[in-house]
Amino acid sequence: MADSATIDFTLERLAAEQQFALWHDLVQPLFRVGIEDEARAAFRAEMRAMPLADALLTTCTSRAQTFARSMGDVRSSGWDHVVIQHYVAGGFTGLCGDRTVSVAAGDINVLDLNRTLHTQATDFSNLTLILPRDRLPLAGSNDLHGRAIERGSALAAVIGSHLRSLAEHAGALTPREAGAALDALCLLLSGSDLRQADPLVRAAAGASVHDRVCAYIDRHLDDPALSPAGIAAACRVSRATLYRLFGFEGGVMAYIAGRRLDRAFMALNRPDDGRSSIAQVAFRSGFTSETHFSRSFRSRFAMSPREARRRAHEGLHPADAAPGLGPRDWVQAMRRVRETI
């Protein structure tokens, strides 16, 4: 990987309040940040971002701030990633989903970008690795959001050293070497106590079954009779296993409803879809009631199906549903901004 892929983003030329405003916009694909009004005059932050195979590694130093990620942010960002962080200095407290967390220097913590969070960080320096979910099978059948490997353990020290070494040498690694380095890190994480004694074999098998069930659901979304019993029978898993696999998504029926709504949203955004009524889109997506469909659509996308279609015809992307910047696009956006300051 060429050194030009790395971007150093420092804001020292700007006034503190300008630094925070720009920092807020830069970090927004991942988190919404905030600070107390009286702290704006002293704000400082810098970041180094390094694409690494299909992942992204950043080093960051910043003054204290809050970090938040709502369900609206989850829907709009389009990032199906897991975040591995190593705090070199400082830390944070708060909520990851409904889990109370406290992370300090030396800890290795895990965040899931499909989940909500609200945390308060002290002044800090950290390394953040943003991984596609399928790189870490452990994440497929375990709720890792907010879990940590505590400082002082040998494993936390080894993973922290691995991340620091990646940050130091990222620019010199070929894509194949970078991929191997990430695989090694994922093996270390898979052997950790993050999974609370779930065997690795079970985690890998669970991820495989989850993918198979998801593929079956996608092929049958238009079937209003799609049910847990039918899915379990067709995929040869017990209903208890099915419920466990989709506990992360709020249950199998919640997952199905979400996929149906996503399909309907895509249909309403196709330029040639104007010939179909809203009811037809709903029924083709597996809904049996237009009223229920419209209510669920508004809850998920913060707009009605009719408004989504109108916006699409006008060339507008709904703010709460438009796909966000992917990791590499994010780096390119940072580079363009960096060139202007």
Side-chain angles (χ1 to χ4, degrees):
M1 182 178 295
D3 285 333
S4 61
T6 298
I7 178 171
D8 288 301
F9 208 101
T10 56
L11 309 173
E12 70 277 2
R13 297 183 189 177
L14 303 176
E17 291 194 8
Q18 291 176 305
Q19 286 193 36
F20 179 74
L22 188 52
W23 177 257
H24 175 277
D25 292 344
L26 286 172
V27 179
Q28 189 165 322
L30 293 177
F31 310 110
R32 295 183 185 272
V33 296
I35 56 173
E36 299 292 336
D37 289 341
E38 57 271 21
R40 290 178 184 268
F43 184 78
R44 297 289 185 274
E46 60 183 56
M47 178 191 291
R48 185 172 183 241
M50 298 150 278
L52 199 67
D54 55 351
L56 182 68
L57 178 63
T58 70
T59 61
C60 175
T61 299
S62 178
R63 292 293 179 88
Q65 60 197 277
T66 59
F67 292 89
R69 188 168 176 85
S70 68
M71 282 310 300
D73 297 324
V74 170
R75 290 194 297 267
S76 65
S77 71
W79 289 46
D80 188 21
H81 291 67
V82 177
V83 171
I84 313 300
Q85 290 185 314
H86 170 46
Y87 271 75
V88 178
F92 67 84
T93 58
L95 287 174
C96 291
D98 57 1
R99 178 176 285 138
T100 300
V101 298
S102 179
V103 169
D107 288 349
I108 305 295
N109 68 284
V110 183
L111 303 175
D112 191 314
L113 294 184
N114 274 336
R115 304 289 298 280
T116 62
L117 67 78
H118 195 286
T119 61
Q120 172 70 59
T122 63
D123 292 358
F124 67 90
S125 292
N126 70 13
L127 292 91
T128 296
L129 180 65
I130 307 168
L131 282 170
R133 183 180 305 279
D134 57 7
R135 263 205 177 270
L136 187 63
L138 186 67
S141 57
N142 293 268
D143 180 5
L144 303 184
H145 191 46
R147 291 193 185 170
I149 303 171
E150 292 186 357
R151 58 199 175 281
S153 70
L155 188 57
V158 169
I159 293 175
S161 177
H162 189 83
L163 285 170
R164 292 192 299 273
S165 182
L166 280 177
E168 182 179 355
H169 300 291
L173 296 175
T174 66
R176 184 172 182 176
E177 291 167 341
L182 292 175
D183 288 343
L185 177 66
C186 289
L187 282 174
L188 287 171
L189 286 165
S190 295
S192 73
D193 59 0
L194 288 172
R195 56 203 162 89
Q196 293 186 336
D198 286 347
L200 175 60
V201 172
R202 181 181 299 175
S208 176
V209 173
H210 185 275
D211 290 346
R212 178 158 50 90
V213 173
C214 288
Y216 177 85
I217 289 172
D218 277 353
R219 291 195 303 270
H220 296 84
L221 279 177
D222 58 350
D223 180 2
L226 189 64
S227 69
I231 295 168
C235 296
R236 299 182 181 180
V237 298
S238 69
R239 291 180 68 171
T241 296
L242 185 67
Y243 293 140
R244 177 178 58 80
L245 287 173
F246 286 86
F248 180 76
E249 287 93 351
V252 63
M253 292 309 295
Y255 176 81
I256 291 170
R259 294 295 295 149
R260 283 172 168 165
L261 289 167
D262 290 343
R263 172 179 285 190
F265 180 83
M266 294 301 296
L268 291 169
N269 274 270
R270 286 199 296 266
D272 61 347
D273 191 66
R275 293 186 295 272
S276 300
S277 68
I278 299 297
Q280 287 172 322
V281 171
F283 297 146
R284 285 202 303 265
S285 301
F287 288 86
T288 57
S289 164
E290 183 180 359
T291 300
H292 175 61
F293 166 69
S294 295
R295 185 167 55 247
S296 300
F297 191 98
R298 181 180 290 278
S299 176
R300 187 172 181 84
F301 300 113
M303 69 186 70
S304 69
R306 197 171 305 280
E307 184 179 2
R309 169 174 280 170
R310 177 184 62 77
R311 286 172 175 256
H313 287 170
E314 293 174 356
L316 301 175
H317 293 287
D320 283 345
L325 296 175
R328 289 183 180 272
D329 297 324
W330 185 34
V331 172
Q332 293 301 324
M334 282 194 287
R335 181 174 288 112
R336 288 192 296 269
V337 173
R338 183 67 181 89
E339 291 170 352
T340 68
I341 63 175

